[in-house]
Amino acid sequence: MSSPTKMKAAIKGEYAEVKMLMQHVMENGRRKDDEGNVIPAWYITAFKVKHKDEVVFEGQFGTSVSKNPYLICRFFGAVAGEKITVSWVDNRGEQREDDAIIE
Amino acid sequence: MHNQNRDSIDLGRRQSLKTMGDLSLLGVLTSLGIMPNLALAGLSAAAFEAKSLDAALDALGGFIATENAAIQITAPEIAENGTVVPVTVECSLPQIEQISILVEKNPTILAASFLIPKRAAGYVNTKIKMAQTSKVIALVKANGKFYRASKEVKVSAGGC
């Protein structure tokens, strides 16, 4: 089971700024455990930020994004009190979606 | 000898059949709506598998990118801990479509690639892993053309 993405969204002048902390191990598939076995790759491959059913930011990750991916994006056309949704999928096909209200 | 050759050909064929199988499974999952809205258009897996900067830029379509001062990379001069290196890319070019972050000396070069919809600002801030001291490159696609900027980050303890 995955953990919720921690999020904070706030209006900053002309744009809304969304800070996200996705909870994921982001294993790159090259590390070894104490017994010398390779730890399989396990990482978020894609994410989306939505506002009013419209994608306002999205991206793809490789294996060089740090554990528990941290991300800030900015988008226009939102006001305080509206909802944003952040979703991700990893290379095992696991998904999750979380929302936050813009402050 | 002859048999050995045949075996390796068969193996190659089996591998490509398996790859095709994986791809069609992805297609089926997507069409069933199991992997609904997260599949991204326009980005190839090859870009993320690239083991050299040239190959990664090529796979992104940005092999011929001109240096542009409108792209600003903010990252530490010296990163004490290579497992968490903060990187901000900000770009004031009009009609930005895509921002990619690449690390020249990482085992896999492309760290992340962001598609910038019309409503988004040309801005992204994230944290990446760096194996060693390297150039960090921001590749920006704006109005159909590619531009780049780079910044050297010294890494005290690599973390990839």
Side-chain angles (χ1 to χ4, degrees), chain A residues 3 5 9 28 30 42-43 55 58 67 72 83 91-92:
Chain A
S3 304
T5 298
N28 60 22
R30 289 185 301 273
W42 187 19
Y43 61 100
V55 176
E58 67 181 308
K67 180 182 175 179
I72 305 177
K83 191 173 84 171
N91 65 323
R92 295 184 184 175

Side-chain angles (χ1 to χ4, degrees), chain A residues 10-30:
Chain A
I11 300 293
K12 302 234 167 142
E14 292 181 333
Y15 54 81
E17 185 172 86
V18 187
K19 291 183 183 175
M20 293 157 263
L21 190 64
M22 304 171 196
Q23 307 292 310
H24 205 285
V25 291
M26 299 300 280
E27 277 296 345
N28 60 22
R30 289 185 301 273

